[in-house]
Amino acid sequence: MAYNVSLPGPGPWGFRLQGGKDFNMPLTISRVTPGSKAAQSSINQGDVVVAIDGVNTDGMTHLEAQNKIKSASYNLSLTLQKSK
Ligand code: LEU
């Protein structure tokens, strides 16, 4: 199931990524920091990051995705796919 979250900025948002085009792996949430903004949202470890601020992550390397997330200051809008 795909869903959208909007985290109120500024960061840190409180999650880590793994994967990306350069790893031939979908971009996924590898860790959610307890008590963080991400933890207070519906984001869970294992969820796939489909889009960042409306931009599809299909062609993004790990670093490109990370930089796009870091460049968000007001809020961070993510489209995710639940792993379970
Ligand atoms: N660890 C960062 C944060 O929680 C996110 C990372 C994907 C750049 O703000």
Side-chain angles (χ1 to χ4, degrees):
M1 184 197 67
Y3 67 103
N4 292 300
V5 291
S6 182
L7 300 178
W13 314 106
F15 62 88
R16 284 188 216 156
L17 289 175
Q18 70 177 17
K21 190 186 166 196
D22 48 333
F23 291 93
N24 282 312
M25 293 262 290
L27 206 58
T28 58
I29 304 289
S30 59
R31 185 182 148 80
V32 177
T33 307
S36 66
K37 289 174 179 177
Q40 290 165 51
S41 78
S42 45
I43 296 176
N44 282 122
Q45 186 181 328
D47 291 355
V48 176
V49 182
V50 176
I52 302 166
D53 281 334
V55 181
N56 193 281
T57 59
D58 276 349
M60 284 187 202
T61 64
H62 186 92
L63 193 62
E64 284 168 347
Q66 215 165 28
N67 286 339
K68 181 132 187 74
I69 289 166
K70 283 182 184 163
S71 74
S73 51
Y74 179 64
N75 62 19
L76 176 66
S77 167
L78 297 174
T79 305
L80 300 120
Q81 178 83 39
K82 282 277 167 211
S83 62
K84 50 186 183 231

